[in-house]
Amino acid sequence: MKRNVLKKRFFRELKSEFGKYLVIFLFLIGAIGFVSGFLVASNSMLAAYDESFTTYRVEDGNFELSAPIEETLLATLEQEGLNVYENLYLTEEVKETSGRLRIFKNRAEVNLVCLMEGELPMTADEIAIDRMHADNNKLSVGDTLAVGDRTLKISGLVALSDYSALYEKASDMMFDATKFGVAVMTEEGFATMGDTHLHYSYSWRYDTSPESDKEATEWAEKVLALLMSNAMITGNAPVNFLPAVSNLAIQFVGDDMGRDNKMMAVFLYIIIAILAFVFAITISNTITKEALVIGTLRASGYTKAELIRHYLALPMTVVAVAAVVGNVLGYTVFKEVAAKMYYASYSLPTFVTLWNVDAFVRTTVIPVVMMFVINLGMLVRKISLSPLRFIRRDLSKRKKKKALRLNSKMSLMNRFRLRILLQNLPNYITILVGVFFANVLLLFGFVLPPLVDNYEKDITSNLIAEYQYVLKMSTETAVESAEKYSVTALQTVEGKLKSEEVMVYGVAKDSAYIDAEFGDGVLISTAYAGKHGLSVGDEITLEESFGEQTYTFTVAGVYEYPAALAVFMEQQEWNEIFGLGGGYFNGYFSDVELTDLDERLLATKITADDLTKTTRQLKVSMGELMDLFLVFGVAVFLLVIYLLSKLIIEKNAQSISMTKILGYTDGEINKLYVWMTSVVVVVSLIGTIPLVNYIMKYLFAAILADYPGWLPYSVPFAAYIRMAVLGIVAYAVVAFIQMRKVKGVSKSEALKAVE
Amino acid sequence: MFIEIKGIKRSFGEGESRVEILKGIDLGIEKGEFCVLLGPSGSGKTTLLNILGGIDSADEGYIAIDGERMEDMNEKALTMYRRKHLGYVFQMYNLIPNLNIKENIETGAYLSDNPLDVDELLKVLGLYEHRHKLPNQLSGGQQQRTAIGRAIVKNPDILLCDEPTGALDYNTSKEILKLIEEVNKKYGNTVVMVTHNDAIKHMADRVVKLHDGRIRENYKNDSKVSATELDW
């Protein structure tokens, strides 16, 4: 049988460049494995999450009334095709977590509970709490909790199907699974907790499910209209109304996983594209080096296709094998890592690993095709020359490459370096792109933690008061330093950004808590101004959450309050606008805790802890991810710079050897060849930071547009310094290796007959 | 004696595949002499030239340049030796492909405290109008002239030439030999040239014939002929 002798070179080439191929192979396995694991885990979990809507009978919406639901309202709703389920809950403070538990009776008909560990409560003094809330507070089955004035034993850890993300309120920017958790008790146990903190909450499911989000929203509007009509008659007004379609506690996981999948796939494609270009440059150099051999083979009758196949074989094999191994690791090791990360953020039910065609296509088919197309394109272009051109080593596509004239007043060394730069432009451009991408990853890793810390500091140093009370109705306190205010929640009108809650405050004229002059117009919080790009003189229109009334205000100033979207005006004006009497108030600002308020009249107590929940959760959910970004960023950086600078040295081995023979010292040669790469790396490192920063700022705003609230993008300068220093330190390792390589270039290299 | 070569031995490979290339070479070359090393392939002439150039080392024996023994030099000292005293010309020119002609010559000038004027030299070499071109835009003869320019611009004490006409046609070869002859006369450098071409011996002051790692003949020409008069 005839065998293509060229195949024998496959293993020889692999052996001679084993280190290079091993590094690329391992990196590809890491990237493909991680992304595959991520996609497999997220798609499997997403499937389990989607199924949970049916399996666990997740509600189509819920509402809370100020009093128990009337039979008449129930009947009206049922007539409209709604099945309404009582879903009362208690909000109790827990000593061990310094947070709150929302406690439900164990559900039998709607929003069913998934038991993750232990058992469901059997007795009145047992409680099953959310698994993630337990993890975040290091609680386990068998521990006891001081809940309100009761001591309860944790019988099990659960996931509630309507709380896959532990959002306490729909208006929260981020959920806080450390301070807020959900739990279930037996009916008897629930009854023993009293009704001081009882909420009259009801869930509904339609007879037939809406077919789209739009339909779900339209149907929900009808439900709200029914509730409002009922309130007009009975006075039992809805305190809360939340259709599932806009309930972040239900929807957030699905949306977030979808976003993550897209981001991961893009991340992988960028890495594959960079590596494909590294391979393309490597092959291009090999072809230049082996021009005479190629010319001879072509002259002897080898076809272009045979040679293209030959030069494609090794990179394609490396990618294909890495894709297979990466996928195997993805389905085994990395899937667990990704699942752990998701379980650290979300309260998801158990899942079964599903074979995932999408992950296979994204992590195997697309990378292999990308590698194939980029390298094939380069090879077809290179190999298309005539055999004679190869034999004459005349591989330039253009007729004769003219040397660029450089100013001869420039020192020889500088001209030499510039020539190296021009000669290796494709390598250096790939380095620039690689460094840019590595910088994006590094910035993610370096910027988010200080950004979150800064935001936390900003919030705590710009608190209106240590304690902020919202009352169900006016009540007096004996604490003289407490200051009365009025507040209501309105929402922005949906436009480019989703509609979201804005707290509108009416503040005492000479407030001790809000240091501002109120003139014509209103003050808006820095968070509101930042997110909506508002400035003094702009008009804002807000609408009622459960009504049709709209309000338009002119922005008279921006008040330093980063914690939430808020509007501030004088209390008297507020009371007039909202048609309430001059003496009306429904809240207190206070720097000391008000212990004399009747708890039954208290709607909410807001402390610094509540305002910093976003930052806490971001740290928990993104901590590991940030580290991964850093590791991948440094790995991409090292890999690209190492491979390409190695190529530059190899390509110039003969020139380096000749300069050695001429009498140049290793130091001088390093100043030529390694120095140029160093300049490119450092310039790329520092030069791409503004662009990376701009892109991050844009990405950040785009991501936050989907979330309620605002986290200002302000990066401490030290983060950039850290980024640049890490890059330079990483490069120093590569530069050291390259210097050794320069030292290792033998003087006999120049004595070899040039092909 | 300016160059003193004593008992040089050099072998390559190990065990059964060990080949002894130089089997004990003793040779003296005077300052300013034009010395031609002749011999068939494998006779050891290039190996001897490389040892003399400090880019290879001998297993035994020593070379002394103006009394300074090379065997005592470490890598750094050898680099300085090449930098100060040597110019090298190879059969395949070994120009730096991404530098233009002038810059290639300047790489030699950079190493000297007292280099020749580059533009002047370019004119002497007939390369002035090509000075902005890259090596691959020139003919073989022009490239070899550039290589010679790079070697002599620092006005080295010793010019080592390894088959400088090996890749060139008859006329161009003669041009190159004439150039080397002129350089030798004008600047007084000691020239050691390795060649296969027996005809070249007539333009040398000293002819050394190597065979199988040993010197078979070593004599001085009573009279030399000019490179232009050579014929082969």
Side-chain angles (χ1 to χ4, degrees):
Chain A
M1 202 174 75
K2 243 177 22 164
R3 280 203 66 195
N4 186 346
V5 187
L6 287 180
K7 283 180 184 164
K8 290 190 175 176
R9 292 189 71 204
F10 180 91
F11 291 105
R12 285 176 195 158
E13 163 74 6
L14 181 64
K15 199 176 157 194
S16 71
E17 290 281 0
F18 188 71
K20 180 178 87 185
Y21 287 114
L22 183 70
V23 170
I24 295 178
F25 182 66
L26 291 177
F27 187 77
L28 277 171
I29 287 179
I32 291 174
F34 178 70
V35 176
S36 157
F38 207 90
L39 295 180
V40 168
S42 73
N43 284 337
S44 304
M45 290 169 104
L46 210 51
Y49 162 80
D50 286 339
E51 260 181 45
S52 74
F53 283 81
T54 321
T55 319
Y56 297 98
R57 294 177 55 78
V58 176
E59 66 184 27
D60 286 321
N62 71 65
F63 56 86
E64 186 185 332
L65 299 173
S66 44
I69 192 167
E70 300 83 7
E71 285 299 326
T72 47
L73 176 60
L74 207 55
T76 312
L77 292 172
E78 277 171 4
Q79 257 175 18
E80 290 294 319
L82 268 72
N83 299 299
V84 179
Y85 306 92
E86 190 184 83
N87 200 15
L88 309 185
Y89 68 84
L90 297 155
T91 303
E92 295 291 348
E93 297 205 346
V94 180
K95 195 178 146 203
E96 286 77 4
T97 62
S98 310
R100 296 161 304 285
L101 266 185
R102 185 171 288 177
I103 304 167
F104 297 89
K105 284 187 248 181
N106 195 5
R107 288 95 166 255
E109 292 178 300
V110 72
N111 299 330
L112 303 183
V113 173
C114 171
L115 180 68
M116 308 288 285
E117 196 184 324
E119 286 174 359
L120 286 170
M122 307 290 278
T123 61
D125 59 355
E126 284 185 337
I127 190 166
I129 66 167
D130 180 84
R131 190 263 325 152
M132 188 172 59
H133 181 64
D135 284 352
N136 287 356
N137 289 290
K138 299 189 170 48
L139 295 170
S140 39
V141 175
D143 290 351
T144 53
L145 289 180
V147 181
D149 54 5
R150 295 278 311 279
T151 301
L152 302 172
K153 186 180 163 202
I154 300 173
S155 66
L157 304 181
V158 291
L160 269 61
S161 52
D162 53 337
Y163 282 94
S164 47
L166 285 172
Y167 275 94
E168 188 173 6
K169 285 187 288 178
S171 58
D172 286 344
M173 181 180 179
M174 180 55 80
F175 54 92
D176 177 7
T178 308
K179 297 280 180 184
F180 174 73
V182 287
V184 289
M185 290 180 76
T186 61
E187 198 155 348
E188 303 78 60
F190 189 85
T192 60
M193 299 295 289
D195 62 0
T196 314
H197 304 127
L198 184 64
H199 293 254
Y200 297 101
S201 177
Y202 300 89
S203 297
W204 81 79
R205 276 172 67 87
Y206 297 110
D207 285 339
T208 49
S209 296
E211 281 179 2
S212 65
D213 285 356
K214 191 169 171 257
E215 198 169 58
T217 310
E218 285 166 7
W219 289 11
E221 278 167 11
K222 281 187 198 159
V223 177
L224 178 62
L226 291 173
L227 295 179
M228 295 305 288
S229 312
N230 180 67
M232 301 280 277
I233 303 162
T234 62
N236 190 3
V239 178
N240 226 323
F241 180 79
L242 198 52
V245 67
S246 50
N247 185 351
L248 288 172
I250 294 174
Q251 303 293 345
F252 185 80
V253 173
D255 295 346
D256 192 45
M257 281 185 166
R259 270 196 296 263
D260 286 351
N261 282 2
K262 278 183 204 149
M263 205 172 87
M264 282 293 158
V266 171
F267 161 77
L268 181 65
Y269 299 155
I270 293 173
I271 285 186
I272 297 292
I274 291 172
L275 287 182
F277 279 108
V278 169
F279 270 128
I281 293 170
T282 311
I283 298 172
S284 168
N285 281 355
T286 311
I287 288 175
T288 308
K289 212 166 82 184
E290 298 184 349
L292 193 59
V293 175
I294 293 168
T296 310
L297 289 173
R298 289 274 292 115
S300 318
Y302 274 81
T303 64
K304 286 178 196 171
E306 280 170 324
L307 290 172
I308 288 173
R309 274 201 300 275
H310 169 66
Y311 284 105
L312 265 182
L314 197 46
M316 290 314 299
T317 306
V318 169
V319 179
V321 176
V324 172
V325 178
N327 268 293
V328 170
L329 290 174
Y331 273 88
T332 51
V333 183
F334 289 111
K335 178 200 75 186
E336 300 298 331
V337 175
K340 208 177 128 212
M341 279 168 64
Y342 275 125
Y343 276 126
S345 297
Y346 305 126
S347 211
L348 290 162
T350 48
F351 76 99
V352 180
T353 307
L354 300 175
W355 158 248
N356 189 329
V357 180
D358 179 54
F360 175 75
V361 170
R362 287 182 184 206
T363 60
T364 309
V365 178
I366 294 178
V368 170
V369 169
M370 274 175 77
M371 190 61 86
F372 181 74
V373 169
I374 291 173
N375 282 290
L376 182 70
M378 190 281 302
L379 270 167
V380 166
R381 199 177 144 269
K382 275 259 171 188
I383 300 280
S384 65
L385 297 171
S386 70
L388 197 58
R389 295 272 297 272
F390 277 105
I391 290 168
R392 288 179 179 160
R393 300 176 54 77
D394 176 17
L395 304 186
S396 171
K397 275 269 167 186
R398 277 166 288 167
K399 225 172 170 316
K400 273 278 181 192
K401 215 164 74 181
K402 272 199 161 187
L404 186 77
R405 284 202 190 179
L406 299 174
N407 188 346
S408 56
K409 283 181 186 154
M410 214 188 289
S411 75
L412 173 72
M413 294 301 257
N414 282 337
R415 274 180 285 149
F416 205 143
R417 286 177 195 126
L418 267 178
R419 298 274 185 216
I420 293 169
L421 176 75
L422 295 169
Q423 178 204 21
N424 299 288
L425 213 49
N427 297 41
Y428 286 128
I429 289 171
T430 313
I431 284 182
L432 178 79
V433 174
V435 169
F436 168 77
F437 181 60
N439 261 352
V440 172
L441 294 175
L442 290 183
L443 197 64
F444 256 117
F446 272 128
V447 158
L448 223 55
L451 199 109
V452 170
D453 284 341
N454 268 4
Y455 179 55
E456 194 170 82
K457 264 186 227 154
D458 249 20
I459 288 175
T460 43
S461 59
N462 288 296
L463 283 177
I464 297 175
E466 294 295 327
Y467 297 90
Q468 205 177 311
Y469 295 90
V470 181
L471 305 169
K472 288 176 183 166
M473 61 174 73
S474 303
T475 181
E476 295 295 329
T477 174
V479 178
E480 283 182 10
S481 62
E483 184 178 295
K484 292 168 184 171
Y485 70 89
S486 306
V487 69
T488 190
L490 296 178
Q491 58 184 34
T492 56
V493 180
E494 188 151 339
K496 261 201 283 183
L497 295 169
K498 280 184 184 172
S499 171
E500 64 179 297
E501 189 181 83
V502 177
M503 298 306 290
V504 182
Y505 289 90
V507 185
K509 196 173 180 188
D510 298 312
S511 172
Y513 293 89
I514 298 216
D515 181 20
E517 289 284 321
F518 295 107
D520 290 339
V522 296
L523 302 183
I524 59 171
S525 65
T526 41
Y528 193 3
K531 183 159 187 181
H532 289 257
L534 295 169
S535 51
V536 175
D538 289 345
E539 275 201 342
I540 51 170
T541 302
L542 300 172
E543 60 186 9
E544 286 179 344
S545 305
F546 307 129
E548 287 175 358
Q549 177 83 41
T550 59
Y551 302 87
T552 302
F553 305 106
T554 305
V555 178
V558 178
Y559 186 72
E560 190 65 43
Y561 185 60
L565 270 64
V567 170
F568 303 93
M569 64 181 81
E570 223 185 286
Q571 195 172 17
Q572 200 183 341
E573 190 189 348
W574 189 99
N575 287 356
E576 277 169 27
I577 288 173
F578 294 101
L580 294 154
Y584 177 84
F585 71 95
N586 65 343
Y588 280 107
F589 295 131
S590 175
D591 281 336
V592 291
E593 192 169 0
L594 304 182
T595 49
D596 59 347
L597 294 176
D598 183 344
E599 280 212 27
R600 282 170 303 184
L601 301 179
L602 193 61
T604 328
K605 181 173 87 176
I606 303 165
T607 63
D609 246 13
D610 299 297
L611 296 174
T612 53
K613 66 171 110 183
T614 302
T615 56
R616 264 197 309 279
Q617 185 57 38
L618 278 174
K619 281 180 191 170
V620 174
S621 320
M622 306 201 83
E624 280 182 40
L625 203 60
M626 292 305 102
D627 291 343
L628 269 172
F629 274 125
L630 283 184
V631 170
F632 265 105
V634 172
V636 170
F637 185 84
L638 284 174
L639 187 79
V640 171
I641 294 171
Y642 169 71
L643 291 175
L644 293 170
S645 56
K646 179 172 176 281
L647 268 182
I648 292 167
I649 305 273
E650 283 168 3
K651 190 173 165 183
N652 289 285
Q654 211 147 24
S655 298
I656 291 171
S657 171
M658 191 57 217
T659 49
K660 283 188 177 186
I661 291 172
L662 287 175
Y664 280 74
T665 61
D666 285 341
E668 283 167 332
I669 298 169
N670 285 333
K671 276 183 195 163
L672 291 171
Y673 288 93
V674 181
W675 190 89
M676 195 62 245
T677 306
S678 309
V679 169
V680 171
V681 169
V682 173
V683 168
S684 306
L685 247 176
I686 296 166
T688 56
I689 286 178
L691 182 61
V692 169
N693 194 42
Y694 178 79
I695 289 173
M696 281 288 286
K697 199 173 173 177
Y698 177 81
L699 273 178
F700 201 69
I703 292 168
L704 283 186
D706 286 347
Y707 292 77
W710 181 243
L711 203 159
Y713 182 80
S714 74
V715 183
F717 190 67
Y720 299 123
I721 302 278
R722 272 201 292 275
M723 222 170 99
V725 168
L726 181 70
I728 289 167
V729 168
Y731 174 66
V733 177
V734 177
F736 178 72
I737 297 170
Q738 297 314 317
M739 282 186 214
R740 288 190 52 129
K741 207 164 168 55
V742 166
K743 197 178 167 76
V745 172
S746 160
K747 285 182 281 294
S748 61
E749 191 71 33
L751 307 179
K752 287 178 191 166
V754 180
E755 271 192 296
Chain B
M1 201 57 69
F2 182 59
I3 301 174
E4 190 187 355
I5 299 170
K6 221 38 183 180
I8 292 289
K9 288 186 179 176
R10 179 73 168 109
S11 57
F12 293 99
E14 299 275 322
E16 282 182 14
S17 59
R18 187 168 182 272
V19 183
E20 210 172 357
I21 300 292
L22 296 177
K23 297 173 178 169
I25 302 285
D26 296 308
L27 177 65
I29 301 167
E30 283 168 30
K31 195 170 174 68
E33 224 174 40
F34 192 134
C35 173
V36 166
L37 294 179
L38 279 169
S41 293
S43 59
K45 50 191 191 303
T46 295
T47 305
L48 180 60
L49 193 80
N50 289 343
I51 295 171
L52 186 55
I55 56 176
D56 196 358
S57 53
D59 299 331
E60 275 180 51
Y62 69 87
I63 291 176
I65 309 289
D66 211 9
E68 195 179 351
R69 280 167 70 145
M70 283 172 63
E71 60 173 6
D72 299 332
M73 295 181 192
N74 59 19
E75 186 57 38
K76 203 174 170 187
L78 277 173
T79 301
M80 287 304 131
Y81 158 72
R82 286 196 300 275
R83 192 179 179 113
K84 271 188 175 172
H85 302 291
L86 290 187
Y88 238 119
V89 179
F90 295 98
Q91 179 180 352
M92 287 312 300
Y93 336 124
N94 287 348
L95 298 175
I96 295 169
N98 54 333
L99 297 186
N100 67 25
I101 298 307
K102 186 177 179 184
E103 287 161 351
N104 261 289
I105 294 177
E106 282 180 300
T107 57
Y110 175 83
L111 299 170
S112 169
D113 295 333
N114 191 22
L116 305 179
D117 184 89
V118 175
D119 285 332
E120 200 62 40
L121 186 60
L122 278 164
K123 284 174 191 161
V124 170
L125 295 167
L127 292 168
Y128 190 74
E129 65 269 35
H130 302 297
R131 65 192 185 283
H132 296 303
K133 290 181 181 169
L134 290 174
N136 67 4
Q137 292 175 285
L138 299 188
S139 68
Q142 288 167 323
Q143 288 190 55
Q144 192 60 297
R145 271 188 271 158
T146 309
I148 292 169
R150 177 178 65 186
I152 62 171
V153 70
K154 61 180 178 178
N155 200 8
D157 300 327
I158 305 166
L159 183 61
L160 302 176
C161 308
D162 189 2
E163 298 275 14
T165 59
L168 303 174
D169 59 50
Y170 174 76
N171 287 325
T172 315
S173 294
K174 283 181 67 170
E175 264 179 47
I176 293 300
L177 289 172
K178 186 167 172 282
L179 184 63
I180 295 171
E181 184 181 51
E182 282 169 6
V183 164
N184 174 242
K185 271 189 199 155
K186 188 171 177 184
Y187 301 111
N189 331 89
T190 306
V191 177
V192 182
M193 183 189 293
V194 162
T195 181
H196 274 97
N197 190 340
D198 202 55
I200 295 174
K201 68 184 180 195
H202 301 298
M203 64 180 281
D205 294 310
R206 178 181 296 278
V207 179
V208 179
K209 286 191 176 178
L210 291 174
H211 187 84
D212 193 24
R214 289 196 173 86
I215 294 177
R216 181 173 273 184
E217 277 184 79
N218 176 8
Y219 63 89
K220 285 182 92 168
N221 277 330
D222 294 333
S223 61
K224 300 197 289 182
V225 295
S226 163
T228 48
E229 293 168 45
L230 293 179
D231 196 16
W232 61 87

